[in-house]
Amino acid sequence: MTAAIAASVLAGCAPATTDTPPDLAITNVHVVDVATGELLRDRTVTIRDGRIDAILAADEGAAAASDAIDNVDGAGRYMVPGLWDMHVHFRGGAELIAANRALLPLYIANGVTTVRDAGGDMTTSVLEWDRQAEAGDIVGPRILTSGPKLDGPTGGWDGSIRLTAPEDVPAAIDSLQSLGVDYVKIYDGTTSRDVFLAILDETERRGMIATGHMPFTVKFAEAVDHGLDATEHLYSVFKGSALNEDSVTAAVIATENTDRSVGFWGGLSLLRPRYDEELARSTFRHMVEEGTAVLPTLHIGRVLSWVEETDHANDPELRYIDPGIVETYAGRVNSARGASAASRRERRALQEMFIDMVPVMHEEGVTILAGSDAGVSNSHVYPGFSLHAELEELAAAGIPPADVLRIATMEAAEFMRLGNELGRVEPGYRADLALLRENPLEDIRNTRSVDLVILGGRTVLDRAALDELLESVAR
């Protein structure tokens, strides 16, 4: 951070001292302060060198706007930080690299300027797309990636790094750091208890962010105590909130690699009747104490809970999805159709319990992050659009709109240790911004009313340009 920008931040909304004019001024705009949930009406926001320079009241803003190189009339729209989808996937092998690349504009058209890639098999391409987006060579979001997932010795997703013993962990983390990943993602396909805990210990030692799925051979409190920064989905938190977690964990360990394995879904069915609200609150408070966040991913949970009974053939978003990716949607659909009626009921009951957990976690102060799990094989969860659906699920579960908006902006940036430069509309912050036609503080569904997007203070895309982006993807 330069001295001028630092001074600007300390001064609140005062402009940085410089003789050069601002690159851009956005006038007549209502600024949403996501930190406080307040609305600053009729402001002029100036941008210089890719960062917000000043937020000025109307009388001061007129002079600043007249000096700016370019002007945009905010026309009473609502300025928010660019949104973050904290759980997406770019994957599917070499034959789907181009199809994944084509998804990038969908995020921008929906006001999503940063995504967190939660593991895939095309890391080299993902890193290049991020570089190109940062340089302005392509229109796409900032991509924070885990690179390959860490998993056990067999099964799981293609491209994962296979770990057999704790001794394998340091070299695996070395390889991820050499790629320049932003965090570490653990998958529970065949990851052993010892390897899982060794990964957490190693990432903690190196000061890296570690998130992921937890094998059911581990108790949730153990994962939290070993430094799990965030748990993807709610399964593990749910496990830690059941009175019989100890006995179910023991049963999973005792039957592992046998023909009578309790397994993941079997374990969940045993845990569900013993979920306890008092224990859950204690679990949530433990998460707060140790700094463990959670990504509820409620939208994909709802979609997949009913996917075999829902006709998605006429979903308007399908026109933006490459046929090669659409073909991968059949896997989960067919699996759901082949499941027993009892299994379907169990999954839907879990989904409803997960929804009920969310407002209690919020009340207890757990850091909640918004991720949609959009990507290849995740049936009918459409990139960009799905983030809005996830925000709506969080609001419907009982989180106030201002808090949901904070989750999708400031909280996400802070979790990824970028909260000093992203996730807020404040002087000194990078100018990744969206202008909405409607007020998101009144109704979170208004985040869909994206009318203009600014990328890095450099690229300005009005609604016509955003619509053309969508049409180009459809073509």
Side-chain angles (χ1 to χ4, degrees):
M1 181 180 291
T2 67
I5 291 174
S8 174
V9 173
L10 292 172
C13 295
T17 302
T18 178
D19 294 330
T20 61
D23 300 313
L24 178 65
I26 304 97
T27 59
N28 308 311
V29 70
H30 307 317
V31 174
V32 178
D33 184 339
V34 294
T36 64
E38 297 177 350
L39 194 62
L40 308 176
R41 292 188 175 274
D42 301 317
R43 294 300 197 265
T44 291
V45 177
T46 59
I47 295 170
R48 190 192 312 271
D49 296 330
R51 293 181 182 265
I52 297 169
D53 183 54
I55 302 173
L56 305 168
D59 53 346
E60 300 173 282
S66 66
D67 289 340
I69 296 171
D70 287 308
N71 274 257
V72 169
D73 183 1
R77 290 170 289 186
Y78 298 84
M79 177 180 284
V80 298
L83 303 174
W84 291 52
D85 191 330
M86 288 287 282
H87 191 131
V88 308
H89 291 285
F90 299 106
R91 63 189 178 201
E95 64 272 21
L96 288 181
I97 289 176
N100 277 266
R101 160 66 180 80
L103 300 173
L104 300 181
L106 299 182
Y107 290 107
I108 301 305
N110 280 280
V112 180
T113 58
T114 303
V115 299
R116 189 178 69 119
D117 171 36
D121 57 3
M122 48 186 69
T123 301
T124 301
S125 295
V126 168
L127 292 170
E128 178 61 14
W129 298 337
D130 178 58
R131 186 199 66 76
Q132 291 174 335
E134 175 69 18
D137 296 333
I138 63 172
V139 176
R142 174 182 297 98
I143 306 174
L144 305 174
T145 185
S146 69
K149 299 178 185 180
L150 300 184
D151 200 348
T154 61
W157 293 92
D158 289 342
S160 298
I161 297 175
R162 309 295 183 187
L163 304 174
T164 301
E167 294 74 31
D168 301 333
V169 170
I173 305 297
D174 286 344
S175 70
L176 293 177
Q177 288 188 310
S178 69
L179 286 171
V181 303
D182 299 286
Y183 73 107
V184 173
K185 168 72 181 297
I186 312 167
Y187 194 66
D188 63 334
T190 57
T191 302
S192 71
R193 168 188 171 82
D194 290 344
V195 167
F196 177 80
L197 295 176
I199 294 169
L200 293 182
D201 291 343
E202 186 67 15
T203 52
E204 185 84 348
R205 185 182 70 79
R206 300 191 191 201
M208 300 176 73
I209 298 171
T211 80
H213 300 216
M214 181 189 80
F216 269 26
T217 51
V218 178
K219 292 192 291 186
F220 184 60
E222 292 179 291
V224 172
D225 287 338
H226 279 260
L228 181 67
D229 292 293
T231 179
E232 312 284 352
H233 320 296
L234 284 169
Y235 303 110
S236 298
V237 185
F238 185 83
K239 181 174 184 285
S241 303
L243 293 171
N244 59 340
E245 183 188 18
D246 287 354
S247 62
V248 170
T249 302
V252 172
I253 292 172
T255 63
E256 194 175 22
N257 301 317
T258 71
D259 57 4
R260 54 189 181 87
S261 172
V262 171
F264 177 80
W265 291 108
L268 280 172
S269 66
L270 294 172
L271 293 163
R272 189 173 68 81
R274 302 298 306 280
Y275 179 84
D276 183 80
E277 291 186 6
E278 184 177 344
L279 177 58
R281 285 188 179 272
S282 177
T283 297
F284 303 158
R285 289 192 288 270
H286 185 206
M287 295 170 68
V288 174
E289 290 167 1
E290 299 300 326
T292 301
V294 64
L295 289 95
T297 58
L298 295 179
H299 172 58
I300 189 172
R302 182 180 299 280
V303 171
L304 295 184
S305 293
W306 295 92
V307 72
E308 77 281 4
E309 295 184 10
T310 306
D311 182 4
H312 287 283
N314 295 315
D315 286 359
E317 298 89 350
L318 277 175
R319 67 192 295 258
Y320 307 120
I321 310 300
D322 186 279
I325 293 179
V326 174
E327 286 178 13
T328 71
Y329 291 170
R332 292 189 188 271
V333 175
N334 292 335
S335 176
R337 287 173 178 164
S340 67
S343 294
R344 296 179 191 178
R345 287 194 299 270
E346 185 71 21
R347 185 178 187 102
R348 292 168 186 172
L350 278 170
Q351 174 69 9
E352 294 307 312
M353 294 184 78
F354 290 165
I355 292 169
D356 290 343
M357 289 168 65
V358 166
V360 184
M361 288 191 293
H362 180 63
E363 180 184 328
E364 291 292 348
V366 175
T367 296
I368 296 172
L369 302 171
S372 73
D373 214 351
V376 169
S377 296
N378 286 353
S379 312
H380 303 292
V381 177
Y382 306 112
F385 305 95
S386 56
L387 188 274
H388 297 292
E390 180 66 13
L391 301 187
E392 289 159 15
E393 288 282 357
L394 294 174
I399 301 180
D403 292 351
V404 176
L405 185 62
R406 188 179 304 114
I407 284 168
T409 53
M410 186 182 83
E411 295 284 2
E414 290 184 349
F415 177 81
M416 293 304 298
R417 304 174 184 172
L418 295 169
N420 64 335
E421 62 174 339
L422 290 167
R424 304 189 196 193
V425 184
E426 290 186 15
Y429 277 66
R430 295 187 61 169
D432 290 347
L433 305 166
L435 269 59
L436 311 177
R437 292 186 301 277
E438 307 294 337
N439 186 357
L441 300 176
E442 294 178 352
D443 189 332
I444 203 62
R445 290 175 295 183
N446 290 338
T447 60
R448 293 185 184 266
S449 66
V450 177
D451 212 38
L452 184 143
V453 174
I454 299 172
L455 299 175
R458 174 189 59 242
T459 303
V460 179
L461 301 165
D462 62 13
R463 189 64 253 175
L466 296 173
D467 288 340
E468 177 53 33
L469 266 186
L470 291 174
E471 286 306 310
S472 69
V473 174
R475 287 193 297 268

mmCIF file of all heavy atoms in Angstrom, residues 1-9 14-18 53:
data_model
loop_
_atom_site.group_PDB
_atom_site.id
_atom_site.type_symbol
_atom_site.label_atom_id
_atom_site.label_comp_id
_atom_site.label_asym_id
_atom_site.label_seq_id
_atom_site.Cartn_x
_atom_site.Cartn_y
_atom_site.Cartn_z
ATOM 1 N N MET A 1 0.844 -1.188 0.000
ATOM 2 C CA MET A 1 0.000 0.000 0.000
ATOM 3 C C MET A 1 0.885 1.245 0.000
ATOM 4 O O MET A 1 1.764 1.380 0.832
ATOM 5 C CB MET A 1 -0.930 -0.015 1.224
ATOM 6 C CG MET A 1 -1.861 1.181 1.299
ATOM 7 S SD MET A 1 -2.936 1.141 2.761
ATOM 8 C CE MET A 1 -4.005 -0.221 2.369
ATOM 9 N N THR A 2 0.613 2.154 -0.928
ATOM 10 C CA THR A 2 1.408 3.369 -0.998
ATOM 11 C C THR A 2 1.064 4.297 0.152
ATOM 12 O O THR A 2 0.021 4.187 0.795
ATOM 13 C CB THR A 2 1.154 4.110 -2.311
ATOM 14 O OG1 THR A 2 -0.194 4.590 -2.302
ATOM 15 C CG2 THR A 2 1.381 3.213 -3.514
ATOM 16 N N ALA A 3 1.962 5.261 0.416
ATOM 17 C CA ALA A 3 1.721 6.211 1.501
ATOM 18 C C ALA A 3 0.455 7.013 1.249
ATOM 19 O O ALA A 3 -0.311 7.307 2.161
ATOM 20 C CB ALA A 3 2.928 7.133 1.648
ATOM 21 N N ALA A 4 0.236 7.366 -0.043
ATOM 22 C CA ALA A 4 -0.951 8.166 -0.362
ATOM 23 C C ALA A 4 -2.220 7.392 -0.084
ATOM 24 O O ALA A 4 -3.179 7.921 0.485
ATOM 25 C CB ALA A 4 -0.914 8.593 -1.834
ATOM 26 N N ILE A 5 -2.230 6.103 -0.461
ATOM 27 C CA ILE A 5 -3.427 5.293 -0.226
ATOM 28 C C ILE A 5 -3.616 5.056 1.257
ATOM 29 O O ILE A 5 -4.720 5.108 1.787
ATOM 30 C CB ILE A 5 -3.335 3.967 -0.993
ATOM 31 C CG1 ILE A 5 -3.438 4.244 -2.497
ATOM 32 C CG2 ILE A 5 -4.416 2.998 -0.566
ATOM 33 C CD1 ILE A 5 -3.216 3.021 -3.357
ATOM 34 N N ALA A 6 -2.525 4.794 1.975
ATOM 35 C CA ALA A 6 -2.626 4.584 3.413
ATOM 36 C C ALA A 6 -3.227 5.811 4.088
ATOM 37 O O ALA A 6 -4.087 5.701 4.965
ATOM 38 C CB ALA A 6 -1.250 4.276 3.999
ATOM 39 N N ALA A 7 -2.776 6.992 3.664
ATOM 40 C CA ALA A 7 -3.315 8.220 4.239
ATOM 41 C C ALA A 7 -4.800 8.354 3.928
ATOM 42 O O ALA A 7 -5.592 8.799 4.761
ATOM 43 C CB ALA A 7 -2.554 9.430 3.707
ATOM 44 N N SER A 8 -5.174 7.943 2.716
ATOM 45 C CA SER A 8 -6.577 8.009 2.320
ATOM 46 C C SER A 8 -7.432 7.115 3.183
ATOM 47 O O SER A 8 -8.520 7.489 3.618
ATOM 48 C CB SER A 8 -6.719 7.598 0.846
ATOM 49 O OG SER A 8 -8.070 7.521 0.486
ATOM 50 N N VAL A 9 -6.947 5.901 3.465
ATOM 51 C CA VAL A 9 -7.690 4.975 4.309
ATOM 52 C C VAL A 9 -7.863 5.553 5.703
ATOM 53 O O VAL A 9 -8.935 5.532 6.295
ATOM 54 C CB VAL A 9 -6.983 3.606 4.371
ATOM 55 C CG1 VAL A 9 -7.667 2.700 5.378
ATOM 56 C CG2 VAL A 9 -6.972 2.954 3.005
ATOM 57 N N ALA A 14 -11.551 10.710 2.461
ATOM 58 C CA ALA A 14 -10.828 11.789 1.796
ATOM 59 C C ALA A 14 -10.020 11.250 0.635
ATOM 60 O O ALA A 14 -9.546 10.131 0.661
ATOM 61 C CB ALA A 14 -9.906 12.479 2.789
ATOM 62 N N PRO A 15 -9.858 12.038 -0.425
ATOM 63 C CA PRO A 15 -9.067 11.575 -1.566
ATOM 64 C C PRO A 15 -7.582 11.554 -1.253
ATOM 65 O O PRO A 15 -7.103 12.270 -0.379
ATOM 66 C CB PRO A 15 -9.375 12.615 -2.649
ATOM 67 C CG PRO A 15 -9.716 13.861 -1.885
ATOM 68 C CD PRO A 15 -10.388 13.392 -0.631
ATOM 69 N N ALA A 16 -6.864 10.703 -1.977
ATOM 70 C CA ALA A 16 -5.406 10.697 -1.872
ATOM 71 C C ALA A 16 -4.857 12.001 -2.440
ATOM 72 O O ALA A 16 -5.406 12.576 -3.360
ATOM 73 C CB ALA A 16 -4.834 9.510 -2.644
ATOM 74 N N THR A 17 -3.783 12.486 -1.863
ATOM 75 C CA THR A 17 -3.161 13.727 -2.320
ATOM 76 C C THR A 17 -2.342 13.454 -3.573
ATOM 77 O O THR A 17 -1.378 12.690 -3.550
ATOM 78 C CB THR A 17 -2.258 14.299 -1.228
ATOM 79 O OG1 THR A 17 -3.037 14.507 -0.055
ATOM 80 C CG2 THR A 17 -1.646 15.601 -1.672
ATOM 81 N N THR A 18 -2.724 14.063 -4.674
ATOM 82 C CA THR A 18 -2.018 13.858 -5.930
ATOM 83 C C THR A 18 -2.370 14.986 -6.882
ATOM 84 O O THR A 18 -3.428 15.600 -6.764
ATOM 85 C CB THR A 18 -2.372 12.499 -6.563
ATOM 86 O OG1 THR A 18 -1.675 12.381 -7.806
ATOM 87 C CG2 THR A 18 -3.863 12.372 -6.803
ATOM 88 N N ASP A 53 -10.412 6.022 -4.760
ATOM 89 C CA ASP A 53 -9.631 7.181 -4.300
ATOM 90 C C ASP A 53 -10.387 7.966 -3.244
ATOM 91 O O ASP A 53 -9.817 8.377 -2.243
ATOM 92 C CB ASP A 53 -9.321 8.073 -5.503
ATOM 93 C CG ASP A 53 -8.447 9.260 -5.131
ATOM 94 O OD1 ASP A 53 -7.371 9.024 -4.547
ATOM 95 O OD2 ASP A 53 -8.840 10.398 -5.421
#
